[in-house]
Amino acid sequence: GGRGQGAGGEGGGADGQLGAWRPSTGEFLTDLATPPPSDDGHPTAHEHGAPVASVSADGHTAFVAAADAILRYDLADGTLSRALPLKGAQVQALAAAPDGHAILVANRYGAAAWVYDFDANRVLRTVPAAREVTSATFSRDGRSVAIGDESGGVTVASLTDGTDRTFVGLDQATRGVAITEHDVVGLGRDGTVAVWARDAGTARLRIITNVQNGRLAVSPEAGLAAVASETQVQLYALADGRLGDTIDL
């Protein structure tokens, strides 16, 4: 996803209360507990409206950015299980590891992202970018991360061997990024989707959509990239870029 990926979704109501739903069925899962107020009086995550948030791929854990911390919630009952202090942070992008034990986080105006062991409150990896980081994700096996930046680039970093690889080809800021076993996929602010061969590092497909400032999700099993606006989701084949179904929201 652009700012995250997972099996659940969060939303903020008019009163600032956060809740979680299952996107595939629309089933309401739980309200999320209201966090304690911050020490310096800044608004909490629940007072900002739509949060910067991410759900682990197993659907068990949600992470939400607050004014001075990242909050972890158990989606079984909405309880706040832990807060990772990040004083002064303005979180721009956030992604949860598939098992919910680590996060990838980038601050606004920062040209890097950090992988945290959430329970140990320890930085596992720093991932540099060419410019301000705009999107972040984990691979499905949790062994790699990817970040997009304002230059239109994507950086893929291995968490096992410490290597980085940069993919370029988008003309505007990377709004969304995804990694599959064979591909790296990026969505530009202007609606362009770029697909690179992950091992070779070469661009293999460019898809022009009419969605600006959209969101990206990828299904490796179905071989599809979904590009979403506020009113519609467009499904494109990763094999040849052909537009398939469109879903009105």
Side-chain angles (χ1 to χ4, degrees):
R3 292 193 176 186
Q5 60 186 11
E10 303 84 34
D15 60 357
Q17 177 65 51
L18 292 183
W21 288 259
R22 192 170 302 282
S24 58
T25 63
E27 173 194 2
F28 178 73
L29 298 175
T30 183
D31 285 320
L32 301 186
T34 301
S38 59
D39 294 337
D40 54 13
H42 286 140
T44 65
H46 295 215
E47 295 169 318
H48 280 301
V52 177
S54 184
V55 177
S56 61
D58 61 16
H60 296 160
T61 308
F63 296 89
V64 180
D68 55 4
I70 303 294
L71 310 176
R72 184 176 65 190
Y73 289 93
D74 183 344
L75 290 182
D77 56 11
T79 55
L80 176 61
S81 62
R82 183 174 171 81
L84 176 69
L86 291 175
K87 292 293 185 182
Q90 294 181 303
V91 175
Q92 171 81 355
L94 174 65
D99 62 6
H101 293 303
I103 58 170
L104 174 64
V105 61
N107 293 335
R108 190 166 296 168
Y109 312 122
W114 295 269
V115 181
Y116 281 90
D117 180 320
F118 199 85
D119 289 311
N121 190 8
R122 179 169 61 94
V123 175
L124 301 176
R125 181 83 152 80
T126 300
V127 184
R131 290 181 58 188
E132 177 184 352
V133 176
T134 52
S135 53
T137 193
F138 275 83
S139 62
R140 287 200 171 191
D141 61 10
R143 300 176 65 185
S144 300
V145 296
I147 56 174
D149 64 49
E150 278 286 348
S151 74
V154 173
T155 301
V156 176
S158 170
L159 301 182
T160 57
D161 63 16
T163 59
D164 299 341
R165 170 171 273 178
T166 301
F167 300 80
V168 296
L170 290 171
D171 298 324
Q172 296 191 16
T174 308
R175 287 276 301 175
V177 62
I179 323 170
T180 73
E181 182 180 357
H182 302 294
D183 291 323
V184 175
V185 186
L187 171 66
R189 182 177 290 147
D190 61 357
T192 301
V193 177
V195 183
W196 298 272
R198 184 171 172 179
D199 290 338
T202 55
R204 70 167 188 81
L205 187 63
R206 190 176 179 89
I207 305 169
I208 307 299
T209 81
N210 61 358
V211 178
Q212 295 192 0
N213 295 314
R215 295 295 184 95
L216 173 72
V218 169
S219 171
E221 294 83 3
L224 295 174
V227 180
S229 68
E230 293 183 356
T231 60
Q232 190 179 74
V233 178
Q234 301 174 3
L235 301 179
Y236 293 89
L238 289 173
D240 56 13
R242 176 179 52 85
L243 174 62
D245 291 336
T246 59
I247 303 168
D248 293 326
L249 303 175

